[in-house]
Amino acid sequence: MPLVTTEINDGIAQVRLNRPDKLNALTLDLLRELVATAKTLGKNHDLRAVVIAGEGDAFTAGLDFASVLRDPKKVVGAFLPVPFRGTNLFQESVWAWRRLPVPVIAAVHGHCLGGGVQIALGADFRIAEPDSQWSVLEGKWGIIPDMTGIRSLSEVVGIDTAKKLTMTAEQFSGERAYELGLVTELSADPVATATAFARRLSERSPDQLAAAKRLFNDTWYGPIRRTFSRERIEQVRLLFGENTKIAREAAFKREKPTYKPRR
């Protein structure tokens, strides 16, 4: 049985962590499947958005230590970064979703602990149940979030809050996560809300969405002049693109646009 499943309907990929009997706890094999799934989806130019969630009663309870530490040699291998990519297996299982040129929405219910928080932060948006349970749990085990979590936390909360969550490993609700800025929106049915949002996004030009994601991700902490330069480059590409023409003509005619595959 696959540890990560994917179903695509109308250009929206529904990706699921699929170890419901273990609260979708993360193993090395599951992390590899996450990377492979993101890589495969990135080649699909008809893809418009991704909703990632967990099967069963949780998003994910975090790392399955019993499984992962069973073979220390594999753990060492998983820590080694891939040349030219700059990430190891743990990091790429999250950052691969940042590389994906479409919006990614995490739909969180139940437990979202440790590596689960980091996977959720790897998405562009997070929609969660108010009573979902969150924790940067690594501190409980005497370690730190190392699946790109330090960078991701710095993007959504202040440095004091990031330090507090990391150092205390406190557990808090989805409602509190929303107040802190970890969650984009609260919903009693995160998957349905995330899917509806994905459909809204799919009404926009896929080239515009990809350009916006690239710009924000690549320049958020960059020098201002570099940001301005990237804005100009992306905009010139869009101005002369076919999907931009389709969007413009549909807007003038007040019609629903039908876009070509992502450039």
Side-chain angles (χ1 to χ4, degrees):
M1 182 178 295
L3 299 174
V4 177
T5 64
T6 306
E7 183 178 331
I8 302 176
N9 290 306
D10 297 326
I12 298 172
Q14 298 286 348
V15 176
R16 297 291 181 269
L17 308 182
N18 191 34
R19 289 188 79 206
D21 56 320
K22 299 293 184 181
L23 296 179
N24 298 315
L26 306 172
T27 65
L28 294 181
D29 287 337
L30 191 153
L31 297 180
R32 291 189 187 96
E33 289 192 26
L34 276 174
V35 174
T37 299
K39 186 175 181 180
T40 298
L41 290 174
K43 297 176 182 177
N44 184 344
H45 288 257
D46 292 314
L47 189 70
R48 307 307 303 279
V50 174
V51 175
I52 183 167
E55 295 286 5
D57 296 328
F59 183 70
T60 168
L63 195 66
D64 187 337
F65 281 96
S67 170
V68 171
L69 297 180
R70 192 174 296 140
D71 191 336
K73 289 183 180 179
K74 289 185 178 181
V75 174
V76 172
F79 264 99
L80 298 176
V82 174
F84 307 112
R85 194 175 68 186
T87 54
N88 61 25
L89 173 62
F90 296 99
Q91 295 163 334
E92 187 63 16
S93 66
V94 174
W95 213 249
W97 304 99
R98 296 286 190 100
R99 302 183 199 276
L100 208 62
V102 300
V104 179
I105 309 162
V108 177
H109 74 291
H111 289 90
C112 182
L113 309 176
V117 174
Q118 298 181 79
I119 291 173
L121 290 175
D124 301 292
F125 309 96
R126 285 153 295 286
I127 298 175
E129 284 183 340
D131 60 353
S132 55
Q133 294 299 303
W134 296 63
S135 175
V136 184
L137 194 62
E138 287 81 2
K140 179 180 179 179
W141 312 111
I143 57 177
I144 59 169
D146 66 338
M147 294 168 60
T148 74
I150 298 298
R151 172 61 182 265
S152 297
L153 281 168
S154 74
E155 292 176 349
V156 295
V157 299
I159 188 170
D160 54 343
T161 300
K163 287 177 180 177
K164 181 183 177 184
L165 296 178
T166 301
M167 292 177 180
T168 64
E170 67 177 276
Q171 190 162 311
F172 48 94
S173 68
E175 189 170 3
R176 179 59 177 155
Y178 175 73
E179 293 171 355
L180 291 171
L182 292 171
V183 167
T184 312
E185 183 178 342
L186 295 173
S187 171
D189 190 340
V191 170
T193 301
T195 302
F197 182 39
R199 291 196 185 101
R200 282 177 56 200
L201 291 171
S202 70
E203 296 174 359
R204 302 303 178 200
S205 164
D207 296 329
Q208 177 261 339
L209 295 176
K213 181 169 179 173
R214 278 194 303 269
L215 269 172
F216 282 116
N217 286 351
D218 294 349
T219 66
W220 196 248
Y221 288 102
I224 291 175
R225 289 172 66 95
R226 178 170 178 266
T227 301
F228 293 165
S229 174
R230 284 293 303 275
E231 282 182 357
R232 293 191 296 268
I233 292 170
E234 294 286 0
Q235 190 73 310
V236 167
R237 290 173 175 169
L238 289 172
L239 283 172
F240 296 99
E242 187 173 12
N243 278 324
T244 303
K245 180 181 178 182
I246 291 171
R248 185 171 58 246
E249 292 178 349
F252 280 130
K253 296 177 181 178
R254 297 185 179 182
E255 297 176 346
K256 183 177 180 179
T258 301
Y259 294 109
K260 301 292 184 181
R262 187 179 69 253
R263 187 177 59 195

